[in-house]
Amino acid sequence: MIKLNFPRELRLLTPAQFKYVFQDPQRASSAQITILARINQENHPRLGLAVAKKHLKRAHDRNRIKRLCRERFRLLQHQLPNYDFVIVVKQGIGQLDNQQLFNLLDKLWQRHIRLAQKS
């Protein structure tokens, strides 16, 4: 049975883990969001989020974006390759509604899946 939870092991927690991804990432991006990825030594993918106050001033807006990104990752975690992913938001992310953000994230996750299969 496949578990669709999001435990602590599936998260990037330390600055060193984020730095590792930022050093030499594979990128999948759109105008509002970028997903950086780098292969890890774990048996599962991990997720980190970088949602800057610069792009979303209010905390509840930042929390909504983070919640939706985590939810999409949680549902797709068993299809994703064993990479460390960092989602970086850009200007204009606040104008997307939930369904638009889900569609955008799905498109970017599929791009990373294809990139991983090629390499």
Side-chain angles (χ1 to χ4, degrees), residues 5-86:
N5 54 0
F6 189 61
R8 191 172 175 87
E9 299 87 47
L10 297 182
R11 302 176 192 170
L12 295 179
L13 300 171
T14 65
Q17 292 171 337
F18 278 86
K19 188 176 181 180
Y20 172 75
V21 177
F22 285 123
Q23 283 175 350
D24 186 28
Q26 292 181 358
R27 298 172 193 271
S29 54
S30 71
Q32 297 90 359
I33 199 165
T34 299
I35 301 179
L36 306 174
R38 191 161 179 202
I39 196 162
N40 66 23
Q41 303 303 320
E42 307 291 326
N43 291 329
H44 49 77
R46 297 187 299 181
L47 178 68
L49 298 166
V51 181
K53 193 184 284 190
K54 173 180 166 182
H55 302 304
L56 293 165
K57 300 291 185 206
R58 295 181 294 198
H60 67 89
D61 291 331
R62 292 191 300 276
N63 292 340
R64 178 181 73 92
I65 299 300
K66 290 189 280 188
R67 184 176 60 249
L68 294 172
C69 291
R70 282 192 302 264
E71 178 66 9
R72 227 49 201 154
F73 177 82
R74 184 183 73 80
L75 294 174
L76 292 173
Q77 65 183 315
H78 297 291
Q79 298 172 26
L80 296 172
N82 296 335
Y83 279 55
D84 289 341
F85 296 99
V86 174

